[in-house]
Amino acid sequence: MTAATSTGPARERDYRPGSPSVAWSEHLYKARVKSADLILFSTQLAVMLDSGVILSDALDAIAEQAGDARFKAIILDISERVKSGDTFSRALSYYPHIFNTMFISMVRASEASGRMVEMLTVLTGYLNFEVETRKRILGALTYPIIMVLMAIAATGTLMFFVLPRFMRIYESRGAALPKLTQVLVQFSRILGSAEIMTGIVTGLIVLGGSLYYWAHTVSGRRVFDACKIHTPVIGTMFIDMVITRSMRIMATMVNTGVRLLDAIRVVQGAVDNYYFQCLWEEVHRRIQDGYQLSESILIAKNGHLVSPGVIQMLRAGEKSGKLGEVCDKVSAFYEKKLEASIRSVMTMIEPLMITILGAIIGTIAIALLLPVFRVSSVIAH
């Protein structure tokens, strides 16, 4: 079978009618599935393999039960590839938008160690944790989002329905509006002008597209990822999230017999921050040179991202031969720390948003009240 590459055009060349990739198409390559479907897939597969069902039969059975037609076609294609001689991890790699680097790397490691059931069980737990974390963050943001929508509605009502009435009264009497109100009037005219708003929206789209493109370059990633880890409070939450993920993956792989160097490679691919990727790359190099894991992190350029307490625990795990257990305990500790970080961020966001929205609406209210206070004298003249 033709070797698969990582790019879309190369995948086009792999497609041949009648080959195991007959179900594959560009549409399926770019397909995405819900997190719940992916969790169900890994759970069902672990249960079936643990029951003695062979991999291809398990995949066929899961495909029959899949509710998403695209995901069903993808699972069937993966099954056909496995039947044709591809490894399971290689078959998964044809769909990187569904099965990320971490998922594929952990499956590949489980193929080498012969402990796929355990790895899939851990993957299911990890995916559940990621989903729950996102739910907690979105749940905490619900109240601020509702406040923003209400503020936008109140501001729009004041600017486009109340303000024009006072403008007509003042214009009919030949009186000048207060300075603050005049600024608000000019702003409302900008918002009401189709040409100006079209230009602003176009400019924002161009700027957003440019930033998106730049964010995927090396220099852009450095800047954005530096902001992620150095922003007060939010940076702590992000670092806790990355450490939790890294330690959990390392614990899983070390406990299932995967070599430490291979585990570090998986961790490197699972973190999406430039500086953490550089850290694990350097750690991998130093371990190859004979250093211990804890020592490699301590002297690495970005080793400060990992707290001294974690490094000490890793050193103790290396000395006792229980590195996997220690990594598991560290991940459990940082999971709780992450929950506290999320609460801290949400606690900070709510009063900050109340202050900002209060200042905006208060300014608009004052700008509208000033002509109200003077309207009687204007009418009298």
Side-chain angles (χ1 to χ4, degrees):
M1 184 173 184
T2 306
T5 59
S6 60
T7 60
R11 293 178 184 276
E12 292 280 6
R13 292 193 293 271
D14 286 340
Y15 171 74
R16 300 188 306 276
S19 73
S21 58
V22 68
W24 186 90
S25 68
E26 188 69 21
H27 175 65
L28 290 180
Y29 168 69
K30 295 181 178 180
R32 295 182 183 275
V33 300
K34 297 177 182 178
S35 298
D37 291 335
L38 188 57
I39 291 172
L40 182 61
F41 169 78
S42 57
T43 303
Q44 289 178 321
L45 188 57
V47 171
M48 289 186 180
L49 293 179
D50 193 37
S51 302
V53 181
I54 64 172
L55 179 59
S56 57
D57 289 347
L59 291 171
D60 289 338
I62 294 172
E64 290 180 6
Q65 303 172 28
D68 188 327
R70 291 181 304 172
F71 196 32
K72 178 177 182 177
I74 288 169
I75 297 172
L76 287 173
D77 182 47
I78 292 172
S79 176
E80 290 299 317
R81 291 180 184 279
V82 170
K83 291 174 185 176
S84 71
D86 270 358
T87 62
F88 184 38
S89 58
R90 179 178 170 81
L92 294 176
S93 68
Y94 280 80
Y95 302 98
H97 294 286
I98 297 175
F99 306 100
N100 58 25
T101 304
M102 180 198 68
F103 196 107
I104 295 169
S105 298
M106 293 183 74
V107 169
R108 184 180 297 116
S110 71
E111 290 170 340
S113 64
R115 303 174 75 171
M116 186 174 291
V117 173
E118 291 181 37
M119 198 70 80
L120 286 171
T121 302
V122 172
L123 268 171
T124 301
Y126 176 77
L127 292 172
N128 274 310
F129 169 74
E130 292 278 285
V131 170
E132 290 301 318
T133 301
R134 283 197 295 269
K135 284 182 179 179
R136 283 198 294 268
I137 294 174
L138 291 175
L141 288 174
T142 300
Y143 174 66
I145 290 173
I146 291 175
M147 285 186 57
V148 169
L149 294 177
M150 292 179 65
I152 292 173
T155 303
T157 301
L158 293 173
M159 291 182 63
F160 295 106
F161 294 97
V162 179
L163 185 60
R165 295 176 182 273
F166 288 105
M167 289 173 57
R168 287 194 293 270
I169 294 174
Y170 274 72
E171 288 174 356
S172 64
R173 298 292 178 173
L177 288 165
K179 292 294 184 182
L180 183 59
T181 309
Q182 290 180 23
V183 173
L184 187 61
V185 168
Q186 292 301 322
F187 185 66
S188 65
R189 285 175 177 169
I190 290 174
L191 294 178
S193 172
E195 292 182 0
I196 295 177
M197 287 305 298
T198 300
I200 292 174
V201 171
T202 302
L204 290 174
I205 292 174
V206 172
L207 178 62
S210 301
L211 286 175
Y212 179 81
Y213 174 78
W214 183 56
H216 287 77
T217 63
V218 175
S219 60
R221 286 191 63 204
R222 287 176 179 172
V223 173
F224 280 96
D225 288 346
C227 291
K228 287 180 182 178
I229 61 179
H230 292 117
T231 302
V233 184
I234 295 177
T236 301
M237 182 184 73
F238 181 81
I239 291 174
D240 290 346
M241 188 179 299
V242 174
I243 296 295
T244 301
R245 174 183 292 185
S246 300
M247 291 296 103
R248 178 168 295 192
I249 294 172
M250 193 172 296
T252 301
M253 304 199 79
V254 171
N255 287 333
T256 51
V258 178
R259 290 193 318 144
L260 181 59
L261 286 172
D262 293 335
I264 291 173
R265 278 300 185 201
V266 175
V267 171
Q268 183 185 357
V271 297
D272 55 359
N273 183 274
Y274 174 82
Y275 296 95
F276 272 99
Q277 288 176 342
C278 290
L279 167 63
W280 292 119
E281 174 67 29
E282 186 176 350
V283 167
H284 187 275
R285 262 197 330 269
R286 291 188 181 279
I287 291 177
Q288 285 181 316
D289 293 338
Y291 289 89
Q292 293 289 320
L293 173 63
S294 56
E295 187 180 9
S296 301
I297 297 174
L298 184 63
I299 62 178
K301 180 180 179 181
N302 294 303
H304 63 278
L305 295 173
V306 181
S307 70
V310 172
I311 296 175
Q312 290 176 2
M313 291 179 69
L314 293 176
R315 184 181 294 116
E318 289 169 335
K319 290 181 179 179
S320 63
K322 297 180 179 180
L323 181 60
E325 293 181 24
V326 169
C327 289
D328 195 36
K329 291 179 180 179
V330 172
S331 68
F333 170 77
Y334 265 85
E335 183 176 335
K336 294 179 181 178
K337 192 170 182 290
L338 174 60
E339 292 177 0
S341 298
I342 293 173
R343 286 195 297 269
S344 298
V345 171
M346 295 306 108
T347 302
M348 178 193 70
I349 286 177
E350 288 186 13
L352 181 63
M353 292 190 68
I354 290 173
T355 303
I356 295 173
L357 295 176
I360 294 172
I361 295 177
T363 303
I364 293 173
I366 293 172
L368 291 173
L369 287 173
L370 289 175
V372 172
F373 294 148
R374 294 176 51 187
V375 70
S376 58
S377 61
V378 171
I379 294 175
H381 289 81

